[in-house]
Structures are given as C-alpha cells and as structure tokens.
Amino acid sequence: MKHFLAHDNDKAAEIASKFINSTHRHVFLTGKAGTGKTTFLRDISRRTHKNTIIAAPTGIAAINAEGVTLHSLFQLPFGAFIPSDQYQCDHAPNFQINTPRSLHQQLKMHAAKRNLLKKLELLIIDEVSMLRADLLDAIDSVLRRVRRRRNLLFGGVQILFIGDLMQLPPVVKDAEWQVLQKYYQTMFFFGAQALQEQKPLYIELTKIYRQTDNTFISILNHLRDNQMTSQDVDTLNRYYKPGFSPAHGDGYVYLTTHNYKADRINKNELQKLAGREFTFNAEIEGTFDAHIYPVDPALVLKKNAQVMFIKNDPSGEGQFFNGKIGKVEALKDDEIKVAFPDGSPSVWVEKYTWENKRFTVNKKTNEIEDKVVGTFVHFPLKLAWAITVHKSQGLTFEKAIIDVSQAFAAGQVYVAFSRLTTLSGLVLTSPFRFKNMPQAPAVQEFAGLKKDAGRLGEQFLSSSTAYLCEEIIQTFDFSTLSMEFDYHLRTYTKDAIRSEKQKNFNWAKTLYSDLKSVKTVGDKFIKQLHQILKTASGIDYQHLLERVRAAKDYFEPILNEFSKKIAGQVIELKTQKKGVKQYIKELQELDRMVYGQLQKIYKSISLIEAFICDTELTKASVNKPPQKDAAIAVGVSKKKAKKKDKPPTKVLTLQMFQSGKTIKEIAERRSLAVSTIQGHLAGWIEQGKIDIKQLMPQSEIDEIMEVFKKLDTLHLTPVKKLLKNKYDYDKLKFVAAFLMHRQSHDKTE
C-alpha cells in the first residue's frame, strides 16, 4: 500500500478518516471553536463501513449529536467509579461509589443490548471535554465483560473521541476528587487507566470557518493557550462600553456565566413588551425524558421579542443558522414569523423534529442502525436577550454583550468570545482583566502527543497493515461462533416431556458437531494466512486476495446450509402453538451470527481490495453477501413478509426517480418537502447510484466544481457567495455529493 502524506494541516480530517476506517487505533479529534468537528462527526458516521454508535456524556449533548447518553448505552449507575475491587474507605462517602465487581453485579442487560454491544465496532463520543476518566474506565469494564474479550481494551471496540479540551471541563465534586485522586492524575478522559498503555492519536482540525479576521483569531488563540499579551487585552478593552443598552432590534445577545442572570434578563425584557402573549407548546411523542428537552416545552413570545434559532436551516437554503438572532415580526396561534437585523428576508418558521434515538441491530441486515423511540416537535427558537456561556457552546453570534466577570474557568471565557464572528460585534460589560487561568498541566502534556502529518502517515502505514492482518485472521476464526453454539447447546437442560425445546436436543447437538468440523478447517486456513502475512520479503496482497476469495467460495455454501437448517427448524416450530416463542428467538439469533460470519468474509475481501488500490473502504463500497429471504429467516409466510417489508424512505425516492418522476412529482406523491427529496438524491449521487448529469447540465457542474476546488471546501455557503447566488443550494448540494463520491472512488478507477 502506498504511503500517504498530508501536505498541510488542513488535511487533518482526511487523515482522521483514514485512521478510523482503516485501523484499530483510537483517535482524539480536536480543534478550536468553529473548525468543523460536528461536520466531521456527521460525515464519518454516515460513511464508515464499521458498525457505529454515537454517544455523549450529557443528554443535551447526545441529542445535538443525534446519539445517546453514555450512561443509557452502557447502563451505568451514577456516581464515581473506582477501577479496583480493593477499594477501602475509613469514612462512608456521601456519594455512590462503583467498582468493577459492583458494576457487573448490577448489570441487568437484556439480550438485545448485549447483542448490540457485541456488534459494535466504532464508538464515537462527542463533547469529550466533559467526559470523566472514571466514566471511561467503567465503559471499558462493561465492554470487556459483555463482549467476552476481557484481555482487549474496550473489548476490541475502536473509539473516536471528539471535542475541545479548552472548552467546558468534566465536573467533579471536591468530595469525589478526594477519593478519585488516589487512582487518577486528572479527571479529563485521557486520564483513564484504560488509556495509559496507548494514548489515542491526537489529530487537530486547524482551519477556522467561524472567524476570518486575523486579529480576532490571534486573540482567541492566545486566550485559548493562556498566552494573552498586553496588546490583546488593550484590543479587547476597546469594546468595553459602560452602561451600553442596545437599540431595539439590534440583535445583541447577552452572554453570562450564570443561569439566573440569563433567565432574569429574558423575563424582564419580555415583560417590557406591549401586546398579547402567545404560548407555543411542544408536541412530545414516545420516550423523550424532560432532562434532554432541547428547548423549554412551553415557548412564550410576544411580537418584537428577541429570539435565537437553535438549529441550522434544514432546507439547506441558509435562511438562518444555529445562533442567528432575530425579532418576532408576527404571531398567530400556530405560526411565528421572524425578521433579521441584517436585512435578510423574514422567515415563517417551521417546526423542527428532534429525535430521541436508540441503537439496535437490524435483524435483516445484521448491522447497527438507529431507531427513533421518541420525538420532540417544536419551533427551533428560544428567547435570546440573554443566554449562558454553557448553553452557547456550538452557537455562532454576530453581536454579543459579554459578561465573564464571574468566570471560574479559562474554558468559559474562551467559549464566550469564540461564539462571535467578528470583534466589531463585541460589547464588554466590564473591562477585560486577564486572569491567569492556565491550562491544566495534564492537558498541556496530552497536547504534546500531537504529531505532524508526516509522522501520522508513518503510523498509518503500520497501523493499517496490522488492522488488515488482524481482521483477516479474525474472519476465519470460528471460535466465537462455536462458543455461542456451545452455549446454546448447554441451555437444553429440561425434561423432554415438559419442554418442546428439549425434544430438539439431538438436532442441536448435530448442528454443533458440524460447526466444530468447520472450525477445524478454519483453523487450518488461519495457519496458511499466517504464512502469507509473515513472509520475509513482504506480503503478497494479490496472492492473499486470491486465497481469501477461494476460502469464501468454500465456506459460503457451508454457512448457507447452516442457515437453511436453522430456518427449517424455525418453520417447523412455527406450526406449534405453545412453548416455542423464546426458543425460536434463540434460533433466529444463532442464524444472525452465522450470517454475520459470512458478512465478515465478504468484508475481508473488500478490505484487501481497498488496501491494494490504496483507497478508503466506506459503507457504500463494502461487499455484502446476498440477503437471505426474510420470510424464511423468521419463519413466516412470504406473502405476509412482503406486506410488512417496506423499503426505506430514501430507497423509495431512488425508485421513483429511476422510474422517471421529477423531484417535484416525488415530493408531491410522498407528501415531503422538495428539499428532503433533494437531500435523498444527493445521498444517492455520493453513493454512485445516480448520475449527477441526470439532474443538471455539465456546464453548471463544471462551473460549481471549479469554485469548490478553488475554496478547498465542501461547505455550500462560501461557494454560493463566490458565485454571487447564481445557483440554488440544491445544485450546490448535488455537486458537493458528486465530489465526495469522486474522492472515495477515483483512486480505484
């Protein structure tokens, strides 16, 4: 495989993507405010070929990341975690302490959750600055146990940590620290004992999209690194305006460090306005706990109230963004119109649907996917005369009155100032006096792990080779599958007269015996693989590919025969009315494991091909075995299965487009927004299922593509501006998708 080099730090995202998709290495992806960390998260979770779950330390962070909380995912109790069962305390603490033993004793994890964690390959943790080291060690303990791989860090799961350690730190009470300091040098996530032998790769995004003024960027960098100069302080203090009171509708937001201050300002300003109050209530369905509500469920507004958008415009037309300030222009019983101080067109705001997700294993594809268990539908607005620094994280403001006189951490001050796009929008409530709030020494030491692009390239070559070898060997190791069949066989423990399941003991015993024979062949093939992979002159990847393809041809019919036997047993059991429901579920789970083994074999071929072609394997390009007839797999009639098995919404859009329907016709037929259909089609362009020339002429594609390349970005707004709004966002979106498709595939062409 050819060695890759990133020629500058702007290639950090590409390098991070390569390490995630092509190695087992844990990665810490960081970057200053506004460098595109969230954009990277969305992109990698959509493209990666690995079974992925997104999680975060807090409920709000999880909702914003479109993931789940770490506590709910791993069923962790609240309190501190001590990474030792030998803990002794002279005085009983006033908080809960968990140990590996107590954690496992309390762990009542149902089969579906265990299966989910067994399938997990990549865990993405967002807002990692707030992740405590002891929580990460608790996660390591759970994963090792549930996945039955106790000698592997995180049970063999790769972790992508995303966040900025200069922003909001982990919260640890003094009483907790008195206990935890015996086990940890720092409470930042990298202080976890699980990460001491091998720290995650430190990769930093450096290109800032929020600010463009070099003077302001320099001040923010100095503030972040605790290197403020007297000139920096003087520059900031030019914006100190005692007694400043913004004119009505100017769009200033007051940033403060305490909730009570923000609440008081918003309440007082709303009361000052004349006219009728309108109350808009959220529509909440399914499971959506109050502690993760993205906004107050009751939004109280008056005409001329200052509001802030808390989501980007979902249409892609850029009418508003997360943090944009506006003024209520008109109100109706279920409608809100917002005007903007910058003169851009007013907007009738549409309600937004936040989804509370759970991750589950799709029984048909055997892959991890998210499932919506609850929705919170509301206007993406909140009163915005004032907001706390904590709640401003991730937002962008053009104008702000900043009060950080009571800031208790350097991260708070940095977050506050870095929300602004320019210095010209800054107003200080008091003179800025730089307090020496140095970075924690542990953070500075951890930052020293950052490698230049060349060093990362060297590490990638060895790490990707090791990953390929490990994956190929594991693919043909049938030990786990054999162990699961053995465990299943040992559950036949009842009297055959009283148990329908027990009557099938001999059938299960024969099946297990047949699998042991398959494992024996697999073990012999692994010995051959070791010889190929440890050749002194270097690995002959073409020969490796030929041998793995031959192995696929050998094992595939055998594994399919196992599936047929299990399916036949399920169909037979379905004719019985009582005492077989749980038994059928157990057999179906065994069948999914067999299919999972076949999926690994197909994927191993894709990995070798990608390695030979020096390209990155993605979800769209991975080989998959033919899906079995779902009706046979679950033991129901084909007629009934077809009735229930509707294609996913994006697939329906593709089918209708390929049948000759226009975007407008598809939107009308499906009662969806045109922008939604355009988003579906952009996704299919990226996967190579649709030719972009079916949607727009080559001349337009070339013109737009040239600007994307000139700006070296895939963000739509700067391209639209440079083209002087000549093209709508939908066409820009199509070209961006086409470029992403080319980046993934042009190396193999």
Side-chain angles (χ1 to χ4, degrees):
M1 186 174 190
K2 293 190 289 291
H3 180 81
F4 82 87
L5 280 175
H7 296 293
D8 54 61
N9 286 335
D10 290 340
K11 298 291 185 182
E14 178 187 343
I15 296 173
S17 177
K18 284 178 176 286
F19 270 103
I20 292 160
N21 275 324
S22 306
T23 80
H24 280 131
R25 295 294 300 271
H26 304 299
V27 173
F28 170 53
L29 184 80
T30 189
K32 303 178 179 72
T35 50
K37 296 184 293 295
T38 299
T39 301
F40 182 87
L41 185 156
R42 298 270 185 275
D43 180 64
I44 196 67
S45 62
R46 180 172 48 84
R47 289 192 309 107
T48 183
H49 61 87
K50 297 181 179 180
N51 275 319
T52 303
I53 292 177
I54 302 168
T58 68
I60 295 298
I63 290 295
N64 289 338
E66 299 181 3
V68 296
T69 64
L70 290 164
H71 278 88
S72 66
L73 177 62
F74 297 104
Q75 294 182 198
L76 299 173
F78 288 95
F81 177 79
I82 301 298
S84 170
D85 287 322
Q86 308 304 317
Y87 170 71
Q88 294 180 343
C89 183
D90 297 332
H91 306 287
N94 59 357
F95 57 91
Q96 183 174 342
I97 290 181
N98 306 293
T99 65
R101 182 181 294 118
S102 69
L103 196 64
H104 300 151
Q105 288 172 344
Q106 298 172 54
L107 197 62
K108 307 296 181 186
M109 195 173 281
H110 53 72
K113 174 61 73 71
R114 288 180 178 274
N115 187 40
L116 175 72
L117 295 183
K118 287 177 183 177
K119 296 287 184 190
L120 179 61
E121 295 173 278
L122 173 66
L123 174 65
I124 301 176
I125 304 180
D126 196 24
E127 298 293 1
V128 76
S129 68
M130 296 185 284
L131 174 62
R132 284 172 39 159
D134 61 328
L135 179 61
L136 188 57
D137 276 334
I139 292 167
D140 174 50
S141 184
V142 170
L143 282 172
R144 288 181 192 239
R145 185 178 184 87
V146 171
R147 291 168 61 86
R148 299 175 187 169
R149 304 178 79 179
R150 301 195 184 192
N151 296 324
L152 289 178
L153 181 61
F154 301 111
V157 173
Q158 181 184 28
I159 302 186
L160 166 60
F161 303 95
I162 300 180
D164 181 2
L165 297 179
M166 299 302 115
Q167 297 192 28
L168 302 176
V171 177
V172 186
K173 296 176 182 176
D174 289 341
E176 290 179 311
W177 179 238
Q178 291 303 312
V179 174
L180 291 171
Q181 65 181 339
K182 298 174 184 177
Y183 303 90
Y184 298 100
Q185 293 185 342
T186 175
M187 276 287 96
F188 283 100
F189 82 94
F190 56 81
Q193 290 193 6
L195 293 180
Q196 295 316 297
E197 288 187 17
Q198 187 182 67
K199 297 288 188 184
L201 285 170
Y202 192 119
I203 300 178
E204 184 172 359
L205 301 175
T206 57
K207 189 172 182 179
I208 297 173
Y209 296 98
R210 185 174 292 144
Q211 295 91 15
T212 55
D213 174 33
N214 289 331
T215 299
F216 191 24
I217 290 173
S218 174
I219 291 173
L220 289 175
N221 289 342
H222 290 167
L223 179 61
R224 188 175 188 270
D225 298 334
N226 196 46
Q227 295 177 348
M228 291 288 283
T229 66
S230 57
Q231 185 178 350
D232 293 332
V233 175
D234 290 343
T235 300
L236 288 176
N237 280 328
R238 293 175 198 162
Y239 300 93
Y240 166 51
K241 299 178 182 178
F244 177 80
S245 180
H248 182 70
D250 270 4
Y252 279 90
V253 60
Y254 192 102
L255 269 177
T256 183
T257 51
H258 290 74
N259 272 310
Y260 76 89
K261 286 186 178 183
D263 292 342
R264 184 181 63 207
I265 291 169
N266 284 326
K267 186 176 180 180
N268 290 343
E269 291 297 325
L270 187 65
Q271 287 177 345
K272 289 178 186 178
L273 296 177
R276 172 189 164 190
E277 271 190 0
F278 286 74
T279 301
F280 304 92
N281 293 306
E283 303 160 31
I284 304 167
E285 293 185 4
T287 303
F288 212 110
D289 297 336
H291 73 279
I292 59 172
Y293 288 169
V295 289
D296 195 313
L299 175 63
V300 181
L301 296 177
K302 290 181 182 179
K303 186 178 179 180
N304 293 322
Q306 181 161 297
V307 291
M308 175 178 66
F309 286 87
I310 59 169
K311 295 298 293 183
N312 293 331
D313 180 3
S315 72
E317 295 176 9
Q319 299 173 96
F320 53 85
F321 54 81
N322 191 6
K324 186 165 186 177
I325 301 296
K327 179 180 71 173
V328 175
E329 184 177 305
L331 291 167
K332 297 181 182 179
D333 286 339
D334 202 34
E335 294 183 272
I336 304 171
K337 189 177 186 181
V338 176
F340 302 105
D342 61 6
S344 54
S346 299
V347 174
W348 282 103
V349 185
E350 293 186 7
K351 291 183 177 180
Y352 185 86
T353 300
W354 284 268
E355 296 175 338
N356 184 23
K357 295 181 177 180
R358 295 289 184 271
F359 289 88
T360 184
V361 177
N362 184 307
K363 293 181 179 180
K364 187 175 180 181
T365 65
N366 214 21
E367 296 174 352
I368 292 179
E369 63 181 16
D370 53 53
K371 177 182 178 182
V372 178
V373 296
T375 57
F376 182 99
V377 182
H378 213 343
F379 292 103
L381 296 169
K382 66 191 302 180
L383 288 176
W385 284 284
I387 186 173
T388 62
V389 173
H390 184 89
K391 291 179 180 177
S392 75
Q393 195 161 7
L395 303 180
T396 301
F397 303 131
E398 293 171 347
K399 297 177 181 180
I401 303 167
I402 294 182
D403 171 17
V404 287
S405 57
Q406 292 180 285
F408 58 84
Q412 273 192 313
V413 181
Y414 173 69
V415 170
F417 281 107
S418 62
R419 299 310 93 197
L420 274 168
T421 55
T422 64
L423 274 171
S424 60
L426 171 66
V427 172
L428 291 175
T429 60
S430 59
F432 180 78
R433 295 182 177 86
F434 180 63
K435 299 176 184 177
N436 187 21
M437 291 190 253
Q439 299 173 6
V443 173
Q444 291 180 314
E445 183 181 344
F446 183 57
L449 297 176
K450 182 170 63 174
K451 301 287 193 301
D452 60 39
R455 293 285 302 280
L456 285 172
E458 293 169 9
Q459 290 192 29
F460 175 76
L461 186 60
S462 59
S463 296
S464 59
T465 303
Y467 171 72
L468 178 70
C469 296
E470 289 169 23
E471 287 296 300
I472 302 303
I473 296 297
Q474 286 181 16
T475 292
F476 296 97
D477 183 353
F478 292 86
S479 298
T480 301
L481 188 61
S482 180
M483 183 174 62
E484 294 293 346
F485 270 69
D486 177 48
Y487 176 79
H488 173 75
L489 186 63
R490 286 187 278 114
T491 62
Y492 291 78
T493 57
K494 296 182 180 179
D495 191 318
I497 298 174
R498 299 179 183 178
S499 168
E500 292 296 328
K501 175 179 177 178
Q502 197 66 29
K503 293 175 183 178
N504 296 282
F505 173 72
N506 288 332
W507 173 86
K509 188 176 181 181
T510 301
L511 199 68
Y512 174 56
S513 177
D514 291 343
L515 181 61
K516 285 202 296 184
S517 300
V518 176
K519 181 183 179 302
T520 300
V521 178
D523 290 344
K524 290 180 180 177
F525 183 59
I526 287 174
K527 290 180 180 179
Q528 293 182 32
L529 289 173
H530 278 301
Q531 291 176 350
I532 296 172
L533 296 171
K534 292 183 178 179
T535 307
S537 58
I539 301 171
D540 183 343
Y541 292 104
Q542 199 61 50
H543 177 54
L544 176 65
L545 180 61
E546 291 170 4
R547 295 299 301 130
V548 171
R549 281 175 174 166
K552 191 267 296 183
D553 292 340
Y554 174 81
F555 286 111
E556 184 170 19
I558 295 175
L559 292 173
N560 283 337
E561 188 61 32
F562 271 91
S563 286
K564 285 180 183 178
K565 289 178 181 178
I566 295 171
Q569 184 78 342
V570 168
I571 291 171
E572 180 69 26
L573 290 167
K574 279 282 184 176
T575 63
Q576 304 176 36
K577 294 183 179 179
K578 293 182 179 180
V580 295
K581 187 175 181 180
Q582 181 57 37
Y583 182 35
I584 287 174
K585 286 184 178 179
E586 292 171 11
L587 292 178
Q588 289 169 349
E589 181 54 36
L590 284 180
D591 186 35
R592 282 191 285 274
M593 291 177 186
V594 171
Y595 183 64
Q597 196 77 35
L598 188 56
Q599 285 177 304
K600 287 181 182 178
I601 294 174
Y602 270 76
K603 190 173 180 177
S604 68
I605 294 173
S606 298
L607 281 169
I608 301 170
E609 289 173 340
F611 203 85
I612 291 171
C613 297
D614 192 19
T615 190
E616 192 175 338
L617 186 63
T618 65
K619 184 182 292 186
S621 58
V622 69
N623 290 319
K624 296 178 182 178
Q627 287 189 356
K628 294 171 295 182
D629 190 324
I632 294 176
V634 299
V636 298
S637 72
K638 290 189 180 183
K639 185 176 179 182
K640 185 176 179 182
K642 286 177 182 176
K643 192 173 181 181
K644 291 171 65 177
D645 193 20
K646 292 183 179 179
T649 181
K650 293 180 182 178
V651 175
L652 279 172
T653 296
L654 176 63
Q655 291 172 348
M656 293 177 74
F657 180 77
Q658 290 175 332
S659 71
K661 298 285 188 300
T662 65
I663 292 175
K664 187 176 180 181
E665 287 171 341
I666 298 171
E668 289 174 352
R669 289 276 189 92
R670 303 198 57 206
S671 299
L672 293 173
V674 167
S675 59
T676 301
I677 302 303
Q678 290 168 342
H680 291 173
L681 297 179
W684 290 119
I685 290 172
E686 184 180 345
Q687 292 189 36
K689 301 294 185 183
I690 289 179
D691 185 346
I692 188 175
K693 286 181 280 191
Q694 293 177 267
L695 291 161
M696 53 194 295
Q698 186 67 50
S699 58
E700 293 183 353
I701 297 170
D702 292 341
E703 184 178 6
I704 296 171
M705 203 154 52
E706 186 178 341
V707 177
F708 271 116
K709 291 178 179 178
K710 181 178 180 181
L711 294 178
D712 189 21
T713 182
L714 287 175
H715 290 262
L716 307 185
T717 302
V719 174
K720 195 171 192 293
K721 285 182 179 177
L722 193 59
L723 287 166
K724 298 180 179 178
N725 298 317
K726 181 178 178 180
Y727 296 105
D728 293 332
Y729 277 99
D730 58 328
K731 291 188 175 180
L732 302 183
K733 199 182 298 180
F734 292 153
V735 176
F738 175 66
L739 285 169
M740 285 189 277
H741 170 69
R742 282 222 318 204
Q743 286 176 4
S744 298
H745 292 80
D746 60 2
K747 289 184 181 180
T748 63
E749 293 174 355

